[in-house]
């Protein structure tokens, strides 16, 4: 790890500098604030609570901690470090742990008439409770217990709660419950081994203390581009403690901080009450360049919320104008057909620095799309994709069982993720489910299909900037012959080239059965006539020798090329090779997980030079 990286150690940094040429955001989020922050990462006190006695015994008031642990870090690692008194580093059924540390209330970050303090957890979970000096905190959204482990959440701190030295106490609980979003972590339903991995939960991202304005814009911005009119719609969220008449002012600049004159500006008067309010506004950016993998042009948005006294609370973010469409049998980016040369990516426990190397390596392989498979990642990866021109396909970490409760948990997780990452032009596709995980009864249960249809329609209305896949791989939902997915995707695995050709021919001919492991469509009959783009969203598996994969890198490379050529000979809109790096038992990667070194030639997954 880089010890001088702002995500490690206790640091106090001014985020903005007048000399900066480029937009720099040191925190794992899309939005930049012109305020100070102090990271609370580093050494924390740590205790296991195997008997769940901490709440009854009021550990938040006083407790003797037996161990220390480094935040951020997974519970599993902290348990392993405490192995002298707890021999097993794994856990079964349920785990409960407590963390505690002190922090000083520095004069440099204390409240003013306009500001207050806020603590933000980059991600933590699955179930998190927080106390300050023995007093329970509620999140900004009013939660005494925060559920979820993939997105950030925050607590406001009032002046009367703070002391010169403050004690922050955190209780984290997780279970193997199959009804909560788990992705590919093991559960009561799917046990570790094969494609299922060890849990990785707890204090998994940074935590920081920062000043924020009492009346402000929250750190979330949604972007919808209408490229034909060079118009951008922004979704912004206000947080108000003092009701009154405010002005929302938007300014759009070129990305460089040397650009002092805005390309566009507009004011929007708002009467705001106490609490939160989501507001959509639009601004025209004349002559704007579009964002694409070949030209990832980004602009800088400065958004100000100006109170009746004239005080302005300000945030910044980068954004790009782009349009993605599923039109007939092709995918169009900015009205131009684009073939998706994709790769499946499961970062597992990779550090941010390793993920950066992975992203660069996937670009070297000739990919223009990375499918981040059924997990949440450090939000800075989305920023990196925006900058390097990499398209992203993201997925909701799925529960492992299908029920009313699991569907509610799934919906809540989806909405949390959307709120925090709808800024990025790189994100073009969302999957609701993958291979029926968490929707195992999709073929026989109308309630499961109705939920998926409802969420698909929700995404179409509220987030038209994305393409949506209902259930990737097979068992797509059809109602009255209308596919409730913007893409018709199939997972096709075979090491045999002749069999591969047969499967592709049957796919493009519109056969719904006998192509993938299960029928491609459930519900009402769906008749494929090139009205939806076809994607082979998983193929390969050539790293598994006992599956029929090659024994050496040269043969593997040749097999990839031959299979890719067959894909490009047919009216298919894109493909996703499986996979980028090895993870646990899945020894199937073509990039070294630590160094980012390619294990096959560069551009092997690019289709640009394939003769059609």
């Amino acid at each position: 790890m880089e010890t001088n990286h702002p995500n490690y150690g206790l640091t106090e940094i001014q985020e903005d500098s007048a000399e900066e040429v480029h937009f720099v955001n040191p925190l794992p989020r899309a939005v930049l604030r012109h305020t100070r922050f102090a990271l609370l990462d580093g050494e924390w006190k740590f205790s296991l609570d195997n008997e769940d006695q901490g709440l009854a015994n009021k550990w938040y008031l006083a407790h003797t901690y037996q161990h220390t642990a480094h935040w951020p870090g997974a519970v599993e690692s902290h348990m392993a470090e405490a192995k002298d008194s707890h021999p097993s580093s794994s856990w079964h059924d349920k785990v409960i742990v407590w963390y505690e540390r002190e922090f000083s209330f520095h004069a440099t970050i204390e409240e003013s008439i306009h500001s207050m303090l806020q603590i933000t957890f980059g991600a933590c979970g699955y179930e998190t409770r927080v106390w300050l000096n023995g007093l329970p905190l509620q999140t900004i959204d009013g939660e005494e217990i925060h559920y979820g482990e993939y997105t950030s959440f925050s607590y406001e701190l009032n002046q009367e709660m703070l002391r010169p030295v403050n004690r922050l106490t955190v209780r984290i609980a997780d279970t193997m419950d199959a009804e909560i979003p788990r992705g590919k972590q093991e559960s009561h339903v799917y046990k570790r081994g094969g494609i299922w991995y060890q849990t990785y939960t707890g204090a998994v991202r940074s935590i920081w203390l920062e000043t924020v304005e009492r009346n402000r814009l929250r750190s979330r911005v949604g972007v919808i581009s209408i490229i034909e009119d060079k118009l951008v719609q922004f979704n912004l969220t206000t947080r108000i403690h003092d009701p009154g008449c405010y002005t929302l002012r938007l300014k759009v600049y070129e990305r460089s901080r040397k650009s002092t004159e805005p390309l566009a500006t507009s004011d929007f008067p708002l009467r705001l009450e106490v609490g939160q309010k989501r507001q959509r506004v639009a601004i025209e950016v004349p002559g704007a360049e579009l964002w694409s993998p070949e030209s990832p042009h980004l602009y800088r948005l400065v958004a100000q919320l100006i109170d009746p006294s004239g005080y302005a609370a300000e945030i910044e973010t980068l954004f790009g104008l782009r349009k993605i469409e599923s039109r007939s049998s092709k995918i169009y980016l900015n009205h131009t057909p684009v073939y998706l040369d994709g790769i499946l990516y499961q970062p597992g426990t990779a550090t941010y620095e390793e993920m950066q190397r992975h992203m660069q390596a996937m670009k070297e392989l000739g990919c223009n799309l990375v499918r981040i498979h059924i997990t949440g990642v450090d939000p800075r990866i989305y920023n990196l994709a925006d900058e390097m021109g990499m398209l992203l396909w993201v997925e909701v970490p799925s529960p492992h069982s299908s029920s009313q409760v699991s569907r509610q948990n799934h919906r809540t997780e989806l909405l949390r993720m959307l709120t925090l990452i709808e800024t990025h032009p790189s994100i073009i596709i969302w999957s609701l489910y993958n291979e029926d995980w968490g929707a195992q009864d999709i073929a026989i249960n109308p309630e499961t299909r109705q939920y998926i249809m409802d969420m698909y329609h929700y995404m179409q209305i509220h987030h038209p900037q994305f393409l949506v896949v209902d259930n990737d791989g097979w068992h797509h939902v059809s109602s009255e012959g209308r596919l409730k997915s913007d893409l018709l995707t199939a997972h096709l695995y075979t090491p045999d080239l002749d069999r591969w050709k047969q499967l592709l021919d049957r796919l493009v001919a519109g056969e719904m059965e006998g192509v993938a492991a299960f029928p491609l469509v459930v519900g009402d009959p769906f008749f494929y006539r090139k009205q939806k783009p076809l994607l082979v969203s998983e193929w390969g598996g050539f790293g598994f020798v006992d599956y029929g994969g090659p024994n050496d890198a040269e043969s593997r490379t040749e097999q990839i090329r031959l299979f890719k050529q067959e894909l490009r000979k047919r009216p298919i809109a894109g493909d996703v090779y499986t996979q980028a790096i090895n993870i646990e038992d899945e020894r199937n990667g073509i990039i070294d997980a630590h160094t980012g070194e390619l294990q096959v030639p560069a551009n092997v997954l690019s289709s640009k030079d394939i003769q059609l």
Side-chain angles (χ1 to χ4, degrees), residues 315-328:
I315 61 173
E316 284 189 43
T317 195
L318 297 178
F319 72 96
L321 284 80
R322 67 105 179 102
K323 184 176 185 179
I324 194 75
E325 295 174 278
S326 165
R327 194 193 310 167
S328 186

Side-chain angles (χ1 to χ4, degrees), residues 7 88 90 111 129 141 161 165 193-194 219 350 398 459:
N7 254 37
S88 175
S90 61
E111 292 181 313
R129 300 189 191 205
D141 298 306
M161 303 169 66
V165 177
S219 300
S398 65
M459 293 288 287

Side-chain angles (χ1 to χ4, degrees), residues 31 50 52 63 126 137 175 183 185 212 302 407 418 458 493 524 552 606 611:
V31 170
N50 291 332
D52 194 10
H63 178 62
Y126 179 71
L137 299 181
T175 71
Q185 299 182 73
V212 294
V302 176
R407 289 190 285 274
L418 281 165
Y458 172 88
Y493 285 106
D524 294 329
D552 59 88
S606 172
Q611 298 297 319

Side-chain angles (χ1 to χ4, degrees), residues 15-33:
E15 290 193 23
D16 185 42
S17 168
E19 278 114 33
E20 276 184 327
V21 176
H22 294 297
F23 181 100
V24 176
N25 190 355
L27 291 174
R29 62 185 179 196
V31 170
L32 177 70
R33 289 190 174 277

Side-chain angles (χ1 to χ4, degrees), residues 206-225:
S206 290
I207 174 174
W208 61 92
L209 178 72
E210 65 182 322
T211 53
V212 294
E213 294 85 359
R214 285 173 51 82
N215 306 297
R216 63 188 183 279
L217 296 166
R218 292 201 64 185
S219 300
R220 49 186 65 172
V221 180
V223 180
I224 300 173
S225 306

Side-chain angles (χ1 to χ4, degrees), residues 309-483:
S309 72
Y311 179 83
E314 183 174 293
I315 61 173
E316 284 189 43
T317 195
L318 297 178
F319 72 96
L321 284 80
R322 67 105 179 102
K323 184 176 185 179
I324 194 75
E325 295 174 278
S326 165
R327 194 193 310 167
S328 186
S329 63
K330 296 181 180 179
I331 295 171
Y332 288 79
L333 179 63
N334 302 332
H335 297 306
T336 300
V338 59
Y339 186 87
L340 301 181
D341 289 309
I343 190 168
L344 191 78
Y345 180 44
Q346 304 180 97
T349 59
T351 65
Y352 173 60
E353 289 75 20
E354 288 172 335
M355 286 190 280
Q356 286 179 299
R357 292 194 283 271
H358 299 162
M359 291 289 287
Q360 295 295 339
M362 289 185 277
K363 189 86 169 179
E364 291 176 33
L365 286 169
C367 298
N368 62 5
L369 172 80
V370 173
R371 181 178 165 210
I372 301 175
H373 191 35
I374 210 154
T375 188
V377 297
D378 188 313
R380 290 172 294 178
I381 291 300
Y382 307 127
N383 295 336
L384 178 61
D386 292 344
E387 294 169 4
M388 66 189 294
M390 182 66 84
L391 301 170
L392 297 180
W393 178 340
V394 299
E395 305 174 326
V396 188
S398 65
H400 289 178
S401 66
S402 182
S403 68
Q404 184 176 353
V405 172
S406 76
R407 289 190 285 274
Q408 181 58 48
N409 289 336
H410 178 275
R411 183 180 187 276
T412 302
E413 195 68 60
L414 169 64
L415 297 184
R416 277 194 293 255
M417 292 178 70
L418 281 165
T419 297
L420 294 174
I421 63 175
E422 61 174 333
T423 313
H424 305 280
S426 56
I427 300 175
I428 60 167
I429 303 173
W430 280 78
S431 284
L432 300 179
Y433 287 95
N434 176 77
E435 293 186 352
D436 304 350
W437 301 339
Q440 293 92 334
D441 57 355
I442 188 171
I444 60 174
N445 189 346
E447 291 183 5
T448 299
R449 294 198 297 273
Q450 186 62 55
Y451 167 73
I452 292 173
M453 288 191 288
D454 290 345
M455 296 315 299
Y456 172 72
H457 293 149
Y458 172 88
M459 293 288 287
Q460 282 191 313
I461 293 170
H462 295 281
H463 299 281
Q465 69 270 45
F466 305 122
L467 301 180
V468 180
V469 177
D470 55 348
N471 178 53
D472 186 48
W474 49 70
H475 281 169
H476 296 280
V477 178
S478 172
S479 176
E480 299 178 349
R482 298 179 182 181
L483 201 66

